[in-house]
Amino acid sequence: MHGAPPEIGMRLHDLLKAIRLIKQHRSAAQPAIPTGLLGLLTEIDRLPTGCRSRDLAEHAGLDPSTVSRGVATLVRQGMVAREADPHDGRATILVVTPAGRAALSDALRWHAELITSALDGWSADDIESLQRGIDRFVGDIHRALNIHETTEAAP
């Protein structure tokens, strides 16, 4: 392939704008999780049996200082707790609290309703094609950036 047509870049710009709009509306409709921290809370929940901040930063593709600030906010909000690491008494692991799990469930339900509404009128084939395309694109971006996922998410 010769290179991505410039339209792809514009479509990605449009997609990022749509994501920002979703975040703004979700924050207004579901304020329990602080703005910008739903993804971090989701990552903590997806990692098996809690995780360390540095593992979370690596898995989420974020700077450790960004993760540290986000985790501190989630801890203050009661969404995440730091617990002693059973394998290393000097370290702590991050775990989603029951309040965090309830807020996460509400936020994910809100997202599901929004996406269901947005895809109303799409055929099952169109939806499956979109999902396959996103999966392939994300995988190929990781490949192009030479990023290898080393931490598996819990099933």
Side-chain angles (χ1 to χ4, degrees), residues 2 8 13 24 45 51 63 72 77 84 90 123 134-135 148 152:
H2 287 64
I8 295 289
H13 174 77
Q24 289 171 1
D45 191 52
C51 63
D63 183 83
Q77 296 284 324
R90 301 166 295 165
S123 71
I134 291 170
D135 288 346
H148 303 285
E152 292 184 29

Side-chain angles (χ1 to χ4, degrees), residues 75-89:
V75 168
R76 276 194 309 277
Q77 296 284 324
M79 305 280 161
V80 170
R82 289 185 175 100
E83 295 182 356
D85 185 333
H87 305 291
D88 181 352

Side-chain angles (χ1 to χ4, degrees), residues 96-113:
V96 177
T97 65
R101 197 164 310 286
L104 184 57
S105 178
D106 287 345
L108 294 177
R109 185 175 22 263
W110 183 89
H111 275 97
E113 290 170 2

